Amino acid sequence: MQRTIVLASTSPYRQELMKRLGLPFETAAPAVDESPAEDETPEELVMRLSLEKAKAVAKDYPDALIIGSDQVATIDDEILGKPGTHERAMQQLRAASGKDVDFLTGLAVYDASSGRSHSICEPFRVRLRQLTDNQIDDYLRREEPYDCAGSFKSEGLGIALFSLMDGEDPNALVGLPLIRLVSLLEEYDIAILGD
């Protein structure tokens, strides 16, 4: 019998990534306060939130395997939120111009029936080119990445902003590290490919 798999996210980006694995899955919106705890590092934050998101939907899916994920972008250990507006996105990309932006993606797989879980944090770094205000404005008007941490979409035109990408799984940059997810699912006897 195939286990019910639930992605504890309504992010269209994470859903698109999840579809690549070819597994049937459902989605659920986790009601979780995403505020950092006092003195919590960005890595601790994403690992805690990814597991909290998975556990938050478990009451509605008591027998499911639930996947939670959370991501932050940082410059010099300062967390960048989702900009929400053109003006804030301009500020974020100006601050990131010529610098490294570190993305930390927390990933948790939670077995609602047993309470067993596995969590990881997958880092990914991008270096932005030196950007002019005109380049930043042009990019933002064309792609409108106002719901994305760091103010860009690496899977779209945002790639033109980069001079370097460094990490083991480029999917982590979009918000769901699939390479690690495949390994975590195997811990629960979910095979993506046949034996």
Side-chain angles (χ1 to χ4, degrees):
M1 180 180 93
Q2 178 69 37
R3 299 263 329 250
T4 299
I5 297 174
V6 178
L7 177 63
S9 175
T10 57
S11 161
Y13 310 113
R14 286 192 180 104
Q15 290 175 34
E16 279 303 310
L17 287 173
M18 190 69 192
K19 287 177 186 173
R20 291 184 190 176
L21 297 182
L23 292 173
F25 69 97
E26 298 180 34
T27 59
V32 171
D33 177 2
E34 297 188 14
S35 304
E38 190 174 337
D39 297 326
E40 189 172 39
T41 67
E43 182 174 317
E44 291 167 341
L45 173 67
V46 298
M47 289 190 62
R48 176 178 60 82
L49 289 178
S50 62
L51 186 55
E52 282 184 11
K53 288 178 178 181
K55 288 181 174 181
V57 302
K59 66 185 182 308
D60 296 325
Y61 297 92
D63 297 317
L65 203 55
I66 304 170
I67 299 163
S69 186
D70 190 74
Q71 182 183 68
V72 296
T74 64
I75 296 178
D76 303 323
D77 292 324
E78 175 102 14
I79 294 176
L80 303 174
K82 296 175 183 175
T85 67
H86 185 85
E87 294 71 29
R88 292 214 42 228
M90 284 289 297
Q91 292 170 351
Q92 279 192 357
L93 287 176
R94 276 189 198 116
S97 178
K99 293 185 179 173
D100 288 346
V101 180
D102 290 306
F103 285 81
L104 298 170
T105 305
L107 175 66
V109 177
Y110 177 69
D111 185 336
S113 62
S114 70
R116 185 173 151 223
S117 67
H118 288 82
S119 300
I120 60 100
C121 179
E122 184 73 23
F124 200 93
R125 174 174 287 169
V126 297
R127 181 169 302 139
L128 271 64
R129 299 173 31 224
Q130 287 289 342
L131 301 167
T132 66
D133 277 0
N134 283 343
Q135 288 172 322
I136 293 169
D137 184 66
D138 181 42
Y139 167 70
L140 292 174
R141 292 192 187 284
R142 290 167 69 182
E143 194 148 70
E144 300 181 352
Y146 306 128
D147 62 343
C148 299
S151 300
F152 57 78
K153 296 179 185 176
S154 63
E155 68 277 23
L157 183 60
I159 198 77
L161 305 173
F162 303 164
S163 64
L164 176 79
M165 296 175 73
D166 182 30
E168 292 184 16
D169 187 346
N171 300 300
L173 191 53
V174 183
L176 192 64
L178 294 181
I179 293 172
R180 296 294 292 274
L181 179 57
V182 168
S183 295
L184 289 181
L185 289 173
E186 287 175 348
E187 296 287 326
Y188 297 90
D189 299 319
I190 305 290
I192 303 304
L193 301 173
D195 293 330

